[in-house]
Amino acid sequence: MTQQRSSVTQCSSNVVAQNLTRVSEFQLMSLSEDPDLQPILFGLFLSMYLVTVLGNLLIILAVSSDSHLHTPMYFFLSNLSFVDIGFISTTVPKMLMNIQTHNRVISYIGCLTQMSLFGIFVCMDDMLLTVMAYDRFVAICHPLHYTVIMNPRLCGFLTLVSFLLSLLDSQLHNLMILQIISFKDVEISSFFCDPSQLLNLSCSDNFSDNIVKYFLAAIYGLFPISGIFFSYYKIIASILRIPSSGGKYKVFSTCGSHLAVVCLFYGTVVGVYLSSAVSHSPRKGAVASVMYTVVTPMLNPFIYSLRNRDIKNALRRLQSRLLILPTFPLDNGPAFLNKPFSKREVRTQRVQKVYIHFV
């Protein structure tokens, strides 16, 4: 009780605490105050951003251009790659601009926009990983009914529901931020507008906001994780019934990449919030949040391309299409090429001309 009274007094007497109508900008936290490290951080995060965008674009191009990959599993994978591009694009470009301009200011509207987009993409990642776990469950546990259950209409419906739930989560967080009357400070303890950090800056301890936060954490955290655990429980039970070890490995390899991405995503998210709760250092928490906001989207294409034979074959076919250029015979070449042709060369030319005529 004494601690609560002192925190309220500190917030009410703080000079920085101000009315919402007068808050026009926030200060983002930099990963390092050392000026010598700024060029290194800029080059590092720029390269990571370019690798992430290029890798996920290659996944999307490979899936869309190869008819062998027009299946539900790769449909969800291409959507996940698109979401990862948006996920990293909401945070890294702004951070690169702050490093380059030596300015950590973000406007109030810009902060709300970044927070909204971040909420949509991070929840889409969460929902799509759950949907992909369900897809693997149907493929392994009900292989004879897979094409009937996972039809294109259901795949599109699951993707649309994932987007609508993510949009709902983003708008609810926006609504809670808009209800904040005064802030303790205008400096956010992160390199982007993290919704949890913005809520921590509120002077008022609203009971309804806490209820909404716990409700959202249960809906978007507990239920997806439970769905993934249930799917893999059924998958492992089905795999254990296979008599041969080779058959077990072959079946499990179809969901190995997805399982690696799930462990990477949820492991880094849980690690970030546990480390920030234990260390009580805002800068260490900001550095730890780089893991799931930057590193995870960058590693996803490598996990799927290195562990998935279909993706590797599709990337090779895409590369061969891009490198092979069309060649056409010349009717009237240079003078030094106008030499007498043998009968075999004449027949070859006629066949080529007939082929081009019909093509």
Side-chain angles (χ1 to χ4, degrees):
M1 185 71 180
T2 307
Q3 184 179 1
Q4 183 179 1
R5 188 183 297 114
S6 62
S7 63
V8 173
T9 306
Q10 179 185 0
C11 188
S12 60
S13 61
N14 194 348
V15 179
V16 184
Q18 48 194 301
N19 198 308
L20 182 64
T21 57
R22 288 159 45 193
V23 174
S24 59
E25 59 187 28
F26 290 99
Q27 292 277 343
L28 297 175
M29 177 174 287
S30 61
L31 297 179
S32 176
E33 296 292 345
D34 189 356
D36 296 332
L37 286 179
Q38 301 306 312
I40 299 175
L41 290 175
F42 181 84
L44 176 64
F45 283 99
L46 178 61
S47 59
M48 293 171 71
Y49 177 71
L50 294 177
V51 168
T52 303
V53 173
L54 180 61
N56 285 286
L57 279 179
L58 285 176
I59 296 292
I60 295 173
L61 288 175
V63 172
S64 60
S65 63
D66 198 322
S67 59
H68 298 89
L69 301 183
H70 291 173
T71 60
M73 173 183 174
Y74 295 108
F75 169 75
F76 294 128
L77 176 59
S78 61
N79 280 277
L80 182 66
S81 297
F82 174 77
V83 169
D84 282 339
I85 293 175
F87 187 18
I88 195 172
S89 297
T90 58
T91 56
V92 174
K94 176 60 179 174
M95 181 177 62
L96 293 175
M97 187 179 71
N98 292 346
I99 294 175
Q100 190 69 17
T101 59
H102 305 285
N103 186 6
R104 298 183 288 114
V105 174
I106 184 171
S107 65
Y108 179 77
I109 300 299
C111 187
L112 289 182
T113 303
Q114 187 184 58
M115 186 188 68
S116 300
L117 294 175
F118 175 80
I120 290 174
F121 288 121
V122 73
C123 284
M124 278 290 290
D125 247 329
D126 190 19
M127 295 293 119
L128 285 176
L129 289 176
T130 308
V131 170
M132 292 172 76
Y134 174 73
D135 171 74
R136 292 298 84 204
F137 159 72
V138 176
I140 295 175
C141 299
H142 306 281
L144 299 179
H145 302 90
Y146 177 69
T147 55
V148 177
I149 297 175
M150 300 302 296
N151 56 76
R153 182 176 297 178
L154 179 62
C155 294
F157 174 75
L158 291 175
T159 306
L160 179 62
V161 169
S162 300
F163 171 74
L164 292 178
L165 288 176
S166 304
L167 184 63
L168 175 63
D169 174 74
S170 172
Q171 295 308 308
L172 287 176
H173 276 98
N174 263 350
L175 184 61
M176 288 190 292
I177 298 298
L178 289 172
Q179 288 180 344
I180 297 178
I181 300 175
S182 57
F183 293 93
K184 301 175 185 177
D185 200 351
V186 292
E187 184 171 355
I188 302 173
S189 300
S190 180
F191 67 94
F192 67 98
C193 288
D194 191 344
S196 61
Q197 296 295 334
L198 280 173
L199 290 173
N200 290 336
L201 294 178
S202 174
C203 283
S204 58
D205 188 13
N206 197 339
F207 179 74
S208 60
D209 285 349
N210 292 329
I211 294 297
V212 173
K213 281 194 297 184
Y214 293 134
F215 175 76
L216 292 178
I219 294 295
Y220 295 96
L222 183 61
F223 286 169
I225 293 177
S226 301
I228 292 173
F229 270 112
F230 176 78
S231 298
Y232 275 100
Y233 166 74
K234 292 292 186 179
I235 288 172
I236 293 174
S238 298
I239 291 175
L240 292 178
R241 288 196 292 266
I242 300 175
S244 63
S245 59
K248 292 178 181 178
Y249 175 78
K250 185 177 180 180
V251 173
F252 189 76
S253 63
T254 61
C255 54
S257 299
H258 174 261
L259 186 60
V261 171
V262 167
C263 294
L264 180 65
F265 179 77
Y266 286 105
T268 52
V269 170
V270 173
V272 164
Y273 286 102
L274 286 180
S275 63
S276 61
V278 172
S279 65
H280 300 287
S281 174
R283 195 172 300 279
K284 288 183 180 179
V287 173
S289 63
V290 173
M291 288 300 299
Y292 79 95
T293 56
V294 181
V295 177
T296 300
M298 182 186 69
L299 292 181
N300 286 351
F302 292 100
I303 293 174
Y304 275 101
S305 60
L306 294 177
R307 295 182 55 88
N308 194 299
R309 185 179 302 174
D310 294 334
I311 291 292
K312 288 191 286 188
N313 294 333
L315 290 174
R316 291 193 191 100
R317 287 190 287 267
L318 180 63
Q319 182 184 9
S320 64
R321 291 195 196 101
L322 295 177
L323 292 180
I324 295 177
L325 298 176
T327 57
F328 302 97
L330 297 175
D331 291 332
N332 296 318
F336 69 92
L337 292 178
N338 294 332
K339 59 181 181 180
F341 293 98
S342 64
K343 292 182 179 180
R344 185 175 181 179
E345 290 173 334
V346 170
R347 285 197 299 269
T348 303
Q349 264 202 343
R350 288 175 179 172
V351 170
Q352 289 177 345
K353 288 182 179 180
V354 171
Y355 171 76
I356 294 173
H357 173 74
F358 282 102
V359 171

